[in-house]
Amino acid sequence: MLTNANLMKHTIKELEDIATQVRRDIVRMVHGCQSGHPGGSLGCADFMTALYFEVLTHNADFNMDGTGEDLFFLSNGHISPVWYSVLARTGYFEVAELATFRKLGARLQGHPTTHEHLPGVRIASGSLGQGLSVAIGAALAKKLNKEHTTIYTLHGDGELQEGQNWEAIMFASHNKVDNLIASIDYNGQQIDGPTEKILSLESLQAKFEAFGWHVITSDGNNMEDILKALHYAKSLTGKGKPILNLMSTQMGFGVDYMVGSHKWHGTAPNDQQLESALNQLTSTLADY
């Protein structure tokens, strides 16, 4: 068990139950508009639940500056369903608004944007490879403002095929951006197939370490392990290096016919598939 369990806001079981509800939200949202990205969203549901319900210092009474708060940037913006779910479930906007996902004129667009003024969203994302650069800027701003807060990011592994990431990775270590914790959704899948076949990433741990980062590894589909990793990562801040949480996940985790398949990167379930998914995911917070 976690050594700091007495300081936790929720039990492991409560967080697991919340993550299950988040997964229900994801499959219902994507089914409702017959569009979106369920695979990566399902795989990151445990991480996002742990981050927003337990780790992140944040305020649902949203303002763009986030003074005195930790900030989170979703770089792989196509997994917006999981982010929208945790934002709604932590009070940023009404849960009922999840039903508007990808609908014409809705604030919950397929890729998060800022012009809809959706609480919780500070940058438009989905143009892959840009999130880390923005997060580094925010982290440096926090340092200039003498804030002892942390910047968190999430990235897809296939996204690291974008060159801008490596400029940012090099910049962060050179400039000792040590209030930054980046997590990689290391599921080995991207839209066209396994990353190893499309464009191999080789050893991400070795690469980040060579670039001067402190690297930790975690099981992104194990709630207790995620929490241990995030708390350990936080303990490493302020020590001169940016931190990477290399987080192994399974695409589509929680829905048996989606697990591990790149085919569910951007495919919506039909009516029968939705029913099957919901039968595997117990409602714990009530559906929208």
Side-chain angles (χ1 to χ4, degrees):
M1 294 298 293
L2 291 166
T3 57
N4 62 343
N6 58 318
L7 301 177
M8 290 180 62
K9 306 179 190 75
H10 303 85
T11 67
I12 296 293
K13 178 61 164 59
E14 287 170 339
L15 291 169
E16 289 172 341
D17 286 346
I18 293 168
T20 298
Q21 182 66 55
V22 168
R23 288 187 166 96
R24 282 183 68 92
D25 291 346
I26 290 165
V27 294
R28 295 184 68 234
M29 291 163 68
V30 174
H31 170 266
C33 62
Q34 282 297 289
S35 180
H37 297 79
S41 295
L42 291 166
C44 288
D46 302 298
F47 168 79
M48 293 292 284
T49 297
L51 185 68
Y52 268 83
F53 282 83
E54 196 65 36
V55 176
L56 200 68
T57 299
H58 62 111
N59 187 352
D61 185 12
F62 179 72
N63 69 80
M64 286 295 286
D65 289 340
T67 303
E69 298 179 56
D70 296 334
L71 303 183
F72 171 72
F73 295 96
L74 178 68
S75 190
N76 50 333
H78 57 276
I79 66 166
S80 61
V82 66
W83 195 19
Y84 294 155
S85 174
V86 296
L87 285 174
R89 297 288 178 180
T90 51
Y92 280 79
F93 52 87
E94 292 295 327
V95 173
E97 192 171 352
L98 296 177
T100 70
F101 176 64
R102 279 186 175 242
K103 302 293 176 64
L104 189 63
R107 298 195 296 177
L108 276 61
Q109 292 298 302
H111 295 75
T113 62
T114 52
H115 65 270
E116 283 90 358
H117 305 293
L118 185 68
V121 178
R122 290 186 168 87
I123 62 165
S125 63
S127 297
L128 297 176
Q130 299 179 4
L132 188 59
S133 298
V134 176
I136 289 169
L140 290 173
K142 291 287 192 180
K143 282 176 170 284
L144 288 171
N145 292 334
K146 308 298 183 185
E147 284 193 34
H148 298 290
T149 53
T150 306
I151 306 300
Y152 294 86
T153 64
L154 179 61
H155 311 262
D157 50 1
E159 179 186 1
L160 296 183
Q161 295 161 355
E162 296 282 356
Q164 182 177 337
N165 286 298
W166 298 98
E167 296 179 61
I169 292 162
M170 180 169 55
F171 180 95
S173 58
H174 178 81
N175 289 279
K176 297 180 171 57
V177 185
D178 56 3
N179 55 339
L180 171 66
I181 299 172
S183 292
I184 294 176
D185 175 21
Y186 198 25
N187 62 23
Q189 305 292 330
Q190 59 190 100
I191 190 169
D192 290 328
T195 55
E196 190 169 312
K197 291 184 178 181
I198 304 303
L199 185 60
S200 178
L201 298 164
E202 303 297 338
S203 173
L204 287 178
Q205 180 168 351
K207 285 183 174 180
F208 272 84
E209 287 175 346
F211 274 71
W213 285 55
H214 192 115
V215 180
I216 64 174
T217 60
S218 64
D219 180 349
N221 296 133
N222 180 297
M223 186 62 71
E224 186 169 357
D225 199 56
I226 294 166
L227 288 169
K228 284 181 179 179
L230 289 175
H231 286 303
Y232 179 50
K234 183 64 181 289
S235 75
L236 296 172
T237 59
K239 297 183 178 180
K241 290 185 176 183
I243 300 109
L244 175 71
N245 170 33
L246 189 57
M247 182 176 68
S248 296
T249 67
Q250 294 186 68
M251 179 170 283
F253 189 84
V255 178
D256 57 7
Y257 60 85
M258 293 188 187
V259 172
S261 173
H262 75 275
K263 295 178 181 179
W264 290 98
H265 172 91
T267 302
N270 60 31
D271 292 349
Q272 290 181 327
Q273 290 166 332
L274 174 66
E275 183 179 3
S276 174
L278 294 179
N279 285 338
Q280 299 173 52
L281 302 166
T282 304
S283 178
T284 56
L285 296 178
D287 291 329
Y288 58 85

